[in-house]
Amino acid sequence: EYCEKLTNITIPLNETRVIDGNKIFNNQPHFNQSIYLPSSIKIINGKEIATQINDQSMQLLHNHLGSRNPKLIIFYFGYNASSEIYIKYKCKSACKFNIDVEVIHQLDLSEQDMINLIKQANANQTVDGIMVQLPINIPNINVQKVLDTIDINKDVDGLTSLNLGQVWTRSDYLLASCTALACMQVFKTINYDFKVKQVCIIGSTIVLGKPLAGMLNQLHATISLLNASTPNLTTYTKFADVIVSAT
């Protein structure tokens, strides 16, 4: 149903312009397109990297599952306008890979009922992956407890406590945040060496900041993980070799 509603969605592909290595602008018509870029600046083609990953993923899915379509369940509890958009994009991407998606949306549900629904999906042998869309905009819910109900082998977002912990302790972690993995893939593409480098990550969510910090820690980077309560951000950013905005 979600896939059928998405045929007319257009995703803007705005280029990124880097000026003097410090200011980033969207490629809007009122900006001068002839911008001088110092030789030390390298433009990374994210679209090209994404295409390579998509091609590899398609082949892996075919090799692993053969003719069977994998199935993903997205649990969406409460209501959030941004979540509506994210879920539609996830469904649209899944359609490209012949992934069957079932979105289970409950506006109001108790924590125990959420846990029971997830346990049913864990036990369903036809379900390959499970996501819980964040945030859960229902009061009095222990979000991490709900996430930890997901079978770690079906935790495609890598948000269970065990999978989050593994990115800090194991180089062969099972599943991890796709956003953090995307950042790592970009770094891998440009062969960036993190040894003795200072990395500043702005934003400490479990979706990007924390798992990315764990991955970079294993590459011997020195990491500052900042959050909304961190005073004087420039104290950290001005000495950083790499800055990741995870806000």
Side-chain angles (χ1 to χ4, degrees), residues 3-246:
C3 294
E4 292 173 357
K5 295 178 180 178
L6 297 174
T7 54
N8 296 321
I9 287 182
T10 301
I11 302 174
L13 298 174
N14 295 328
E15 294 180 0
T16 299
R17 291 288 174 175
V18 183
I19 301 178
D20 295 333
N22 295 315
K23 299 178 181 178
I24 302 178
F25 294 99
N26 285 330
N27 184 8
Q28 302 295 335
H30 58 274
F31 287 122
N32 183 354
Q33 300 304 303
S34 300
I35 298 175
Y36 168 71
L37 297 177
S39 58
S40 60
I41 292 178
K42 180 175 182 178
I43 302 297
I44 301 170
N45 190 330
K47 185 178 179 181
E48 184 178 291
I49 296 171
T51 299
Q52 293 173 356
I53 294 173
N54 287 340
D55 291 344
Q56 293 168 3
S57 298
M58 186 73 77
Q59 189 60 49
L60 285 171
L61 277 175
H62 178 74
N63 293 343
H64 184 61
L65 296 175
S67 60
R68 181 176 77 84
N69 286 0
K71 182 174 181 179
L72 169 67
I73 289 185
I74 301 176
F75 289 104
Y76 174 29
F77 302 126
Y79 173 80
N80 179 273
S82 296
S83 293
E84 297 272 324
I85 297 171
Y86 286 132
I87 289 172
K88 288 181 180 179
Y89 283 152
K90 288 173 183 178
C91 290
K92 185 175 182 179
S93 296
C95 288
K96 295 178 182 178
F97 291 91
N98 296 319
I99 297 174
D100 297 331
V101 182
E102 180 181 353
V103 178
I104 298 177
H105 185 199
Q106 295 286 340
L107 282 172
D108 191 16
L109 208 63
S110 70
E111 181 180 292
Q112 188 56 53
D113 285 340
M114 293 180 191
I115 289 172
N116 290 340
L117 280 175
I118 295 171
K119 285 182 176 179
Q120 290 175 21
N122 288 340
N124 189 337
Q125 297 300 312
T126 68
V127 175
D128 301 284
I130 299 171
M131 287 182 177
V132 172
Q133 181 66 41
L134 300 179
I136 299 177
N137 282 345
I138 298 175
N140 304 315
I141 299 296
N142 184 331
V143 175
Q144 194 58 54
K145 182 178 179 181
V146 172
L147 293 173
D148 284 342
T149 307
I150 301 172
D151 183 329
I152 61 168
N153 295 293
K154 298 184 179 184
D155 175 27
V156 291
D157 269 338
L159 299 183
T160 60
S161 294
L162 183 57
N163 282 331
L164 278 170
Q166 285 190 1
V167 301
W168 287 88
T169 58
R170 297 175 54 174
S171 58
D172 60 339
Y173 40 82
L174 180 64
L175 291 167
S177 160
C178 60
T179 316
L181 287 171
C183 292
M184 295 299 293
Q185 188 62 38
V186 170
F187 295 138
K188 181 180 178 181
T189 301
I190 62 175
N191 297 315
Y192 195 83
D193 185 1
F194 281 94
K195 290 182 180 177
V196 306
K197 293 294 194 303
Q198 299 276 347
V199 180
C200 180
I201 302 175
I202 305 173
S204 58
T205 67
I206 60 173
V207 175
L208 178 54
K210 288 178 181 176
L212 182 60
M215 295 172 188
L216 293 177
N217 179 66
Q218 295 207 49
L219 297 180
H220 309 289
T222 300
I223 302 155
S224 297
L225 184 59
L226 314 184
N227 56 54
S229 301
T230 304
N232 303 320
L233 293 183
T234 55
T235 304
Y236 302 89
T237 57
K238 67 183 179 182
F239 295 113
D241 299 291
V242 177
I243 300 173
V244 179
S245 177

